[in-house]
Amino acid sequence: MSLPALLAAGATPTPSPTESTAPAVSTFQDAQQSATHAASWVEQNWSTWLAIGLRVILILVVAAVLRVAVRRAITQLIERMNRPTEGTSSTALGGLLVNAERRRQRAAAIGSVLRSVASFLIMGTAALMVLSTFQINLAPLLASAGVAGVAVGFGARNLVTDFLSGVFMILEDQYGVGDTIDAGVASGEVIEVGLRVTKLRGADGEIWYVRNGEVKRIGNLSQGWATAGVDVTVRASENLDRVKTTLDAVAEAMSKDEPWNEILWGPVEVLGLDSVLIDSMVVRLSAKTMPGKALAVERELRWRVKRAFDEADIRIVGGTPATLTEEEEATDPAAPVAPPSAHSNPDSPQSEAASPIPPPRPAAK
């Protein structure tokens, strides 16, 4: 049967083994159809994507502007806090109490904390709003963030404790740069105040790094005023009126001399007898001084008291006497000592006479 007859009969010709099926080639019509479908999809959804993009841009712009405005407001507030007031700067006492470096570091620390918190809140809220714009379910994300926050809080609880303690110490102005404090675990002069660690300079020059969370109590020796106290120990036989007159003269002279007249914020007072013993008595002196200057005042006061007592021939117990009287020079220091007893020598006749009579020995058989 011929090929036309087969085609007319509806039979399908069997391909020969040598023939191969060629792949379908996309034609221009197919490409045009695909482009038409894409254009129609874009035309249908472009308004939605444009609205989402504009909303995201608007959220980011508002967040950036709000962040800049809040940080600038915080900076201006910190600068106003850092600026001394007219009433404080007009008096010498206020100038002594207010330390510029301490005020600057305190303001810088507070400003850093406030700016960081403000930036975190604003940018975090903006990020959540952007995710919600893309119709992303935020419930699992917030739950995961909450669990992660709890885990981090338990793992870094010491760090959180140090940070919170540092924030409250700075906000309450418990101490600052230049203050001499006793933090319990260490004591010295504050050279740097941080949110986590406070640096102290010890008496021997060492630097102590104290974690703020470990500080349970703080004794600040540089706020308000300090008290200088000196105890003078003299012999019990000294004339009290003479001792008080000498100490009053020393206190009056020191209150008038420079620079002690500026360091002393009150007169040096002779408080009287602090204790009376058999061979000595203690007279106590006290003075109100500038913060941190009590030790220097005590040393100068001891120096002046010693010189005044030497001039007035008043002996301090335990010290070298200024001048000895003739009676004291003539007194033999060994006079009160009793001579040795003859009974101390066991071979002396006195010891033999005082020894008990030994019992008689039995006669040998």
Side-chain angles (χ1 to χ4, degrees), residues 96-108:
L96 293 174
L97 291 177
V98 178
N99 189 294
E101 180 65 18
R102 167 183 176 174
R103 188 171 59 246
R104 185 192 65 79
Q105 286 203 10
R106 176 172 175 262

Side-chain angles (χ1 to χ4, degrees), residues 66-76 115-116 118-119:
L66 184 61
R67 178 174 176 270
V68 172
V70 171
R71 289 173 67 90
R72 183 171 298 178
I74 292 174
T75 302
Q76 293 180 356
R115 282 190 290 266
S116 300
S119 299

